[in-house]
Amino acid sequence: MKGNSMMKLGVSIRYLGYHMAAWRHPDVPADGSLQFKYYLATARKAEKACLDMIFFADGVGIRAADTPKGALSHDSKNAELEPLTLLAAIGAATSNIGLVATASTTYNEPFHIARKYASIDHISGGRAGWNVVTSWSQEEAWNFSKDEHLGYDERYERADEFVDVVKKLWDSWEEDAFIRDKQTGQFYDEAKLHIAHHKGKHFKVRGPLNCARTPQGRPIIVQAGANEGGRIIAAKSADVVYSAPFDIASAKEYYLDLKSRLAQYGRSKDQLLIMPGLTPYVGRTRQEAQDKYDQLQELIHPISGLSILYSAIGDLSGYDIDGPVPDLPQVNNSIGRSLIEIARRDNLTIRQLYKLRASGSRQLIGTAEDIVDDMEVWFKEGAADGFNLCPATLPGGLDDFVEFVLPELRRRGLFRSEYEATTLRGNLGLEKLTFGK
Amino acid sequence: MKGNSMMKLGVSIRYLGYHMAAWRHPDVPADGSLQFKYYLATARKAEKACLDMIFFADGVGIRAADTPKGALSHDSKNAELEPLTLLAAIGAATSNIGLVATASTTYNEPFHIARKYASIDHISGGRAGWNVVTSWSQEEAWNFSKDEHLGYDERYERADEFVDVVKKLWDSWEEDAFIRDKQTGQFYDEAKLHIAHHKGKHFKVRGPLNCARTPQGRPIIVQAGANEGGRIIAAKSADVVYSAPFDIASAKEYYLDLKSRLAQYGRSKDQLLIMPGLTPYVGRTRQEAQDKYDQLQELIHPISGLSILYSAIGDLSGYDIDGPVPDLPQVNNSIGRSLIEIARRDNLTIRQLYKLRASGSRQLIGTAEDIVDDMEVWFKEGAADGFNLCPATLPGGLDDFVEFVLPELRRRGLFRSEYEATTLRGNLGLEKLTFGK
Ligand SMILES: Cc1cc2nc3c(=O)[nH]c(=O)nc-3n(C[C@H](O)[C@H](O)[C@H](O)COP(=O)(O)O)c2cc1C
Ligand SMILES: Cc1cc2nc3c(=O)[nH]c(=O)nc-3n(C[C@H](O)[C@H](O)[C@H](O)COP(=O)(O)O)c2cc1C
């Protein structure tokens, strides 16, 4: 019942907020992404608000190209703390909030990943989660002795096997394998040790993992990847999916598709929670909310704005930024073409176009009522089991959500006021895992 | 001055203590190596005692063979927390103690290692250290899609290049590279970003690291490996060497050799601290100390005892454990031959021989005076700059050291009563690093 009547809420706390100009906001500490205390304070706020989890996106390298020249040095997303060490450190200093971080299957080894997340699950008393991604940039490949990023099919084939191996390693030891009988000297029961002996196309991993079964049975698996490869992994193994739909129609379609795939793997619909990303701008009035949004949009440096358009349309630094978007016939990718169409249709300047493009996730601008109305429709109409908040600025964006939106969600009975459990699995309302199932 | 008159002290806190039967000791919590609180309590004790650092050894897999059959299930060293996540978590909950953990250059990628230790250095405010090892077991290879462990030369060649790459990545950003000017929108100064563009035999790593220069300039580099390959890396790059000599003559030779290699790399003798391992058994009387030792030796399960002898001599489980050590002519490795010689010379039973072999580091059994006498001679005669304590049991072995040995060390002016600094580098008395040097 509860699992169905209440929505789940996570909050993405990488960097200084999800708006690209967040660091220039007067209330944002621009050096925050190198300060443990900054992350910890946000995690504790999220915990005080009884959110399900904090979430760290990740990339193994600086991914953007420096075009136009100077774009990188105007970007705050180039130096930060590493998410797994952060997760462990935050785990030591909190007690209920779920702890999810991203790690790439393309540039890691399953043994390390299984071991580190298992260890965080132990350290935090059952609150760890792994967001499985395959990475996407050339720049990351260059940091790992590769000339090219793996192609789509191979990347997802590797990811699929990677997740299987990690799950096998997490099942190395049964829950009650360790006897630790000081009298007889027997430490574990051999019958309850399972050695993976995995031999696949991408990996040969013998096992066992040198870490015991974790408080959650295994850490939570999160998947973030919208296309076929990601959907297969999600349906087979994930507990949570983070998605990034921009409208309710596509969100419903995605939701339905994923939920209907579960049966193939002997799973029920409530074993996978779908949580779309959401960036709320909330004010006491609609105007106040709009002002908050406009203030940030104004802070986008033109060179950063141009860099957003670069990958889709090319380098526009030769044009008047407050003039029309040129119709460049050489743009032949679908995102670029549709951007140019929008610009022509709505008569947008270059500045207006990059502002339009600046947001990475769906935005809601309005009063608490407006925002909760929207969330409630998505939740009740089968587009979402909850949301992954991507505050525009941190800590401000989370503070606003807690102050204005949460009370309204609670008034409508849509969100908890107290944690139900001490593990992430428990709070997400997911069934306890039985060994070997 | 101070750096020379006071010794440095680290403490190894992996597992439940360094005696193989530690877990069977009545005062040791046998499930401790899966409990964050257990490690944290020990780290805090070490911090209260003003020790320089805690140290985690590591292996990426269960390394022992299960011979005789059942040996593994009588061993406590098979499931534990992972050291880098532990280090970060302990860093969040302490404020002065140095934090050193082992990571293998054979089964890791330089980018991940540079990034994770840098992050821990930030999280802890300048207390991180990396113990560089190359691993040594077949079993670890099997967890990383390899059939064989790399041979000695290739392993150390890779290690040498690995350390170079990590150092380059740690030098990606100058200390004052980040301007973060909210007015102009400039985040960093391009002239202070250095992209490694490393291309070597084992690695191609472009960089830069997506983490800022750390509070210590870079994390401390520790090296543990006694042979030529390890010595080269130590002389070139290490700040600290952990060694495992068993007598003062070989310790002095090693000390002299390492210190005299430093000049080749433009380094002075005080830029590398040599800290041999030491397992103290201390009592109010010599008899009390001896009793503590004997108690643990008694707790070695015969099957575990036989497993110690296995790699050198073979499986002796068919022989009477309290009878003489058989003279097996097929034993042709040097350790095995010398063990058999000792056994014949001193008329040892199998049980007596494995007890002799049970300790991994040099033991001192006696009163605080006895132990400090020995430590002082090593320190003053050029065999050590300090010691890496490997307590036989935890927390008991550390408690005893703090209660009995530390006051005597302090009485003689050999160890601090207060931290000199908040960074590990500062407490070790190492010079502040200047960028590019
Ligand atoms: C909500 C969401 C969050 C994501 N977070 C990350 C991330 O933190 N790091 C990363 O490398 N990729 C991330 N991705 C990218 C995916 O791994 C994937 O590469 C991308 O969605 C492209 O989709 P596809 O690979 O399924 O085609 C994310 C994707 C989505 C939808
Ligand atoms: C004091 C000391 C501590 C060591 N700790 C580790 C460790 O934690 N993990 C590991 O894989 N190897 C460890 N080693 C092993 C070394 O990496 C190395 O493989 C071993 O000393 C064999 O020496 P060599 O490789 O120089 O021949 C340690 C060695 C010494 C001397």
Side-chain angles (χ1 to χ4, degrees), chain A residues 186-245:
Chain A
Q186 195 177 358
F187 198 80
Y188 68 80
D189 177 353
E190 290 182 39
K192 294 182 174 168
L193 164 62
H194 304 274
I195 301 183
H197 290 295
H198 175 87
K199 283 201 178 102
K201 181 167 165 194
H202 297 270
F203 303 104
K204 259 197 329 209
V205 180
R206 178 176 177 272
L209 194 64
N210 52 353
C211 186
R213 191 166 180 78
T214 79
Q216 295 187 99
R218 60 165 170 73
I220 292 295
I221 297 177
V222 180
Q223 208 284 326
N227 297 325
E228 187 59 22
R231 292 186 195 202
I232 292 172
I233 293 174
K236 214 163 127 179
S237 301
D239 303 297
V240 173
V241 159
Y242 279 163
S243 56

Side-chain angles (χ1 to χ4, degrees), chain A residues 14 16 22-34 36 58-62 66 69-86 88-90 92-93 107-112 115-120 122-124 139 141-147 169 173 178 180-190 193 202-212 299 301 304, chain B residues 14 16 22-34 36 58-62 66 69-86 88-90 92-93 107-112 115-120 122-124 139 141-147 169 173 178 180-190 193 202-212 299 301 304:
Chain A
R14 192 185 187 191
L16 305 162
W23 74 273
R24 297 182 72 186
H25 190 284
D27 298 342
V28 171
D31 63 350
S33 47
L34 289 164
F36 172 58
D58 191 48
V60 277
I62 295 176
D66 193 26
K69 183 78 191 127
L72 273 185
S73 64
H74 287 73
D75 184 359
S76 67
K77 298 188 180 62
N78 38 47
E80 55 173 342
L81 299 184
E82 187 277 338
L84 283 186
T85 47
L86 258 182
I90 293 173
Y107 301 111
N108 276 293
E109 288 284 336
F111 194 90
H112 288 312
R115 192 176 177 217
K116 288 189 162 71
Y117 282 94
S119 190
I120 296 171
H122 282 286
I123 289 171
S124 64
E139 285 83 357
W142 294 339
N143 289 331
F144 292 89
S145 300
K146 302 265 189 297
D147 293 322
L169 289 171
W173 303 91
F178 296 98
R180 305 185 185 102
D181 186 330
K182 292 193 182 194
Q183 251 46 54
T184 64
Q186 195 177 358
F187 198 80
Y188 68 80
D189 177 353
E190 290 182 39
L193 164 62
H202 297 270
F203 303 104
K204 259 197 329 209
V205 180
R206 178 176 177 272
L209 194 64
N210 52 353
C211 186
L299 290 173
H301 193 283
S304 306
Chain B
R14 191 186 187 190
L16 305 161
W23 74 273
R24 297 183 71 187
H25 190 283
D27 298 341
V28 171
D31 64 349
S33 46
L34 289 165
F36 172 59
D58 191 47
V60 275
I62 295 175
D66 193 27
K69 183 77 193 127
L72 273 185
S73 64
H74 286 74
D75 185 357
S76 67
K77 297 186 179 64
N78 39 47
E80 56 174 340
L81 299 184
E82 188 276 340
L84 283 185
T85 47
L86 258 182
I90 293 174
Y107 302 112
N108 276 293
E109 289 285 334
F111 195 89
H112 289 311
R115 191 176 178 216
K116 287 190 163 70
Y117 282 93
S119 190
I120 296 172
H122 282 285
I123 289 172
S124 65
E139 285 82 359
W142 295 339
N143 289 331
F144 293 89
S145 301
K146 302 263 188 298
D147 293 323
L169 289 171
W173 302 92
F178 296 98
R180 306 186 185 101
D181 186 332
K182 292 193 181 193
Q183 251 46 54
T184 64
Q186 196 178 357
F187 199 80
Y188 68 80
D189 176 354
E190 289 182 39
L193 162 63
H202 297 270
F203 303 104
K204 255 192 338 206
V205 180
R206 178 177 178 271
L209 193 65
N210 52 352
C211 184
L299 290 174
H301 194 284
S304 306

